[in-house]
Amino acid sequence: MKVFKFGGTSIGTAERMKNLIPLIGKNDNAIVVLSAMSGTTDRLVKLSSLLYNEEKNEASSLLNQMQDQYLEVIADLYLEESIISQANDLINSHFEYLRSFTLDMFTLLEEKAVLAQGELISTALFQLLCKEKGLNSCLLPALNFMRIDENEEPDTSYIQRNISKELHAHKGYNIYITQGFICRNAFGEIYNLKRGGSDYTATLIGAAINAEEIQIWTDIDGIHNNDPRFVKNTFPIDELNFDEAAELAYFGAKILHPTCILPAKNMKIPVRLLNTLNPEAQGTIVSDQLKTNTTIKAIAGKDGIIAINIRSDRMLLAYGFLRVIFEVFERYRTPIDMITTSEVAVSLTIDNQQYLSEIISELQEFGSVAVEDNLSIVCIVGNISPENQGYAFRIFESIKDIPIRMISYGGSKNNISILVKTELKSETLNSLNKGLF
Ligand code: ADP
Ligand code: ASP
Ligand code: MG
């Protein structure tokens, strides 16, 4: 079985949805994971913030606008009257449900339910299209099998058990359509896998059913060597190993959800990145079977980084110092991305500032603490083992005019990370591009 995931832009218009039919129609055993239509989740986020602020009129007019646009999509999407009328009823009932949130207090769990509507709508509309086009397809509700645990990590054994149950209950179809992004939490409430999470749904499903391949279809022909939003003339990379792709995703390559490579890596399932706007393009294959092994493959940048420096004479020649520091971050469930140490100081970075003030006040018990925000990690990924001499020189030569706040090398042989001010990220990505490719 293969898993196909189509992102928001791939189903952004009626035309684009129709273009997917020949792409998936050839398959006789596939799970299709869909995001919300492009723009929908952003608008549902906006709607939630209006509802938190009790701006009910603005919320209602946003809902009216969205509903009208969906009704226009329906008019372009289907030919059969009975399908059009089913689709209209479907949209009207989802928007009636969304309007019910304008009546009362708005909470976090209600926000999750609001955000889930994008994927619930897109999959239902797409299933009706498949039906009209004669594909032997059915909907598999992700809320029946996709679940996270108390630590907000995917509950893989639950997912595996329950997706098998669902597939068993819906035997005999060629195409199973399901929602990306949405899931339930440990208490059974509607939740999600964070922004961009449909990629993660696809790889979690791929791992749960031991898929032959996971294909992530988006609006660009594979993973590029640099971030095309900041750098001109980037080019697609033919192949990456799982660790390289995981590092790129984690360090900001938006084409992949930060942690979506891990389930595929664990099960050694190849992930192919393909372009719905150019389906003939070769794209990128992520696997453990690389044909070539070039040194430096790609660069990515991740914003929203905070650096924390702890300075203490007590660290000099002391053991156990790093442990007590790490324990503070563990208590506040805040992952550390980069770390460097000297005899009397340690600098580290985090990207989640939810508990920043608590963390700082606990760290102050061990020494003086300095915090700097508005930073970005720029990460250079490839086969960067120490035996491949010369690349470090090329990296630092290319950014010799850019002030570097921290450097991390040696943790993995796939990556060198550099911390810079966010205002210098674009310049850093471009200078590295010139120097390395
Ligand atoms: P989808 O809606 O299909 O999930 P995304 O917008 O999440 O699509 O991801 C695709 C976008 O990721 C591309 O349009 C591109 O702008 C951006 N991107 C950032 N870094 C990279 C990269 N290294 N390679 C390819 N695309 C990248
Ligand atoms: N619709 C969600 C988002 O916009 C999930 C996804 O697109 O992957 O973040
Ligand atoms: Mg995405």
Side-chain angles (χ1 to χ4, degrees), residues 402-419:
I402 295 172
I404 298 172
R405 175 72 184 71
M406 254 170 93
I407 298 166
S408 170
Y409 168 60
S412 106
K413 66 180 172 53
N414 292 114
N415 132 17
I416 290 190
S417 300
I418 291 164
L419 188 68

Side-chain angles (χ1 to χ4, degrees), residues 5 196 199 254-257:
K5 176 259 170 172
D199 303 329
K254 187 191 172 227
I255 184 166
L256 288 171
H257 175 279

Side-chain angles (χ1 to χ4, degrees), residues 5 7-9 218-220 222-224 226-229 253-255:
K5 176 259 170 172
T9 41
T218 178
D219 60 353
I220 187 163
I223 303 181
H224 278 218
N226 207 328
D227 194 325
R229 294 168 299 174
K254 187 191 172 227
I255 184 166

Side-chain angles (χ1 to χ4, degrees), residues 5 7-8 35-36 41-42 119 180-181 194-199:
K5 176 259 170 172
S35 300
T41 311
D42 286 343
E119 273 71 10
F181 179 58
K194 307 213 170 92
R195 294 304 304 269
S198 300
D199 303 329

Side-chain angles (χ1 to χ4, degrees), residues 48 67 72 79 81 171 213 226 234 239 343 365 386 412 416 430 432:
S48 302
Q67 183 168 11
E72 280 169 28
L79 299 168
E81 280 310 321
K171 263 195 192 143
E213 181 170 289
N226 207 328
T234 58
E239 47 174 22
E343 254 331 287
E365 290 172 24
S412 106
I416 290 190
N430 279 284
L432 285 167

Side-chain angles (χ1 to χ4, degrees), residues 161-175:
R161 254 191 343 270
N162 286 281
I163 195 164
S164 308
K165 255 193 223 162
E166 285 292 316
L167 286 169
H168 192 74
H170 296 86
K171 263 195 192 143
Y173 290 97
N174 295 349
I175 310 274

